Amino acid sequence: MTLTQVAQSAGVSLSTASRVFSRPGRVALKTRNHVVETAKRLGYNQQIVDAPAVSRLQGFLAAVVTDLENIVSARIARGIEASCHLHKFGLFVLDTQESVAQEAGTIRGALGHVDGLILGSSRLSDAQIRHFAAYKPIVALNRVVPGIASIWVDESASIDQAVRSLRMNGCRSLSYMQGPENSWQNVVRLRAAAKSARGQGLEFKVLPCAYPCDENRAGVYDSFMTRPTDAVLAFNDDIAISFIRFLHERGIAVPGKVSVVGIDDNPIGRFMAPSLTTIQIPHAEMGYQAAQMLINEILHLADHCSTASSVSTVLIERASTSRAPSHIKA
């Protein structure tokens, strides 16, 4: 038996029937008694739909991610969900589709409905994030925002290890294929690649943004072909996988002609031919840790945290970098 059926049988609106059980003081005594008697006669039991106090949610978090079709966003959301489930918190997952304007609007709309927010790879400025943090607790992932709790990825050691391996395999030049210009993590990866290339004596080239691949790949990949290098480090696996397919379409062997390294450990890269060398990042663990920080603050189990912490990464070497390349003629 539902409340709608009770309202219909009692001849009142659904909103009136709802107020009888939720705010009885706002309903006339005669109407209230009539609805209650009707409910008893029909066997309506409010406890069937009302969760017992012991199992009710303690609060709600919002996970704001750039693209749910991207494996990074999905893993972050999964880690956040695991922590929310453990601590009886509800979760909204909000996809901004790589749009700064949509991200800001989404956060504004969510502020009044959640107890805290986790921003995954936010494209907002530091000032915008601090502005929103004045209203609700925030943890930023994949970047550092001064004054805000932040968890970022330190890939420098893995990138250096990858560049050293490329040099040992005979590579003499390296290109870094960028991600979005407003990505904080893109700048970190670019600087680490440039530093490692200099340290190994490799010629270093920076290519434009190739993400999203469907929109940007053609111009960037053609740019590579005008002055090719022995190896490419891509901003993420999506770009690396797309680039390998581009090379195959032109009969260019990987790693025979070009070695390719990605970042993120996308499952597709494990099973393609050749399998993709990549840098593995614990995104789900980052999401779990971020949710834990927020929930502890919301429940007053810990003081507000405004520091930045980093997570380590692992280089996974596969077939896309296994042999010394011969050089492509531009």
Side-chain angles (χ1 to χ4, degrees), residues 76-282:
I76 288 173
R78 180 62 62 85
I80 295 171
E81 192 279 332
S83 182
C84 286
H85 178 75
L86 179 65
H87 297 285
K88 297 179 182 177
F89 265 68
L91 176 65
F92 298 112
V93 180
L94 308 172
D95 186 344
T96 66
Q97 300 179 35
E98 299 279 356
S99 167
V100 174
Q102 184 166 327
E103 181 178 357
T106 295
I107 294 173
R108 289 191 194 98
L111 283 173
H113 304 281
V114 298
D115 301 291
L117 301 97
I118 298 170
L119 309 185
S121 305
S122 175
R123 306 293 192 239
L124 300 179
S125 67
D126 288 357
Q128 286 176 299
I129 293 175
R130 283 193 290 267
H131 169 76
F132 289 130
Y135 296 91
K136 293 291 172 69
I138 284 178
V139 175
L141 294 182
N142 289 327
R143 66 180 291 175
V144 174
V145 182
I148 302 296
S150 307
I151 302 174
W152 64 287
V153 182
D154 184 2
E155 298 137 331
S156 56
S158 293
I159 288 176
D160 188 62
Q161 185 181 353
V163 173
R164 288 175 180 272
S165 180
L166 291 169
R167 182 68 182 86
M168 291 178 61
N169 283 340
C171 293
R172 297 179 300 185
S173 55
L174 172 69
S175 293
Y176 175 70
M177 201 166 284
Q178 295 193 79
E181 293 181 359
N182 56 2
S183 166
W184 187 91
Q185 200 70 42
N186 178 63
V187 176
V188 172
R189 293 170 182 175
L190 171 58
R191 290 174 177 172
K195 180 180 179 180
S196 296
R198 288 195 303 268
Q200 294 300 312
L202 301 183
E203 176 190 349
F204 186 67
K205 178 181 177 182
V206 180
L207 296 170
C209 173
Y211 189 83
C213 299
D214 291 343
E215 302 172 13
N216 297 337
R217 59 169 274 177
V220 177
Y221 300 169
D222 289 341
S223 174
F224 170 84
M225 295 302 297
T226 61
R227 190 163 65 90
T229 54
D230 296 333
V232 168
L233 170 63
F235 168 74
N236 62 18
D237 281 359
D238 287 350
I239 296 174
I241 292 166
S242 174
F243 181 60
I244 289 175
R245 290 170 177 164
F246 167 87
L247 294 176
H248 282 177
E249 290 168 1
R250 284 151 183 78
I252 299 172
V254 176
K257 295 289 186 179
V258 182
S259 291
V260 180
V261 180
I263 299 176
D264 289 337
D265 193 20
N266 189 319
I268 296 175
R270 303 175 197 172
F271 303 109
M272 66 184 296
S275 56
L276 178 64
T277 293
T278 187
I279 294 173
Q280 186 182 72
I281 300 171

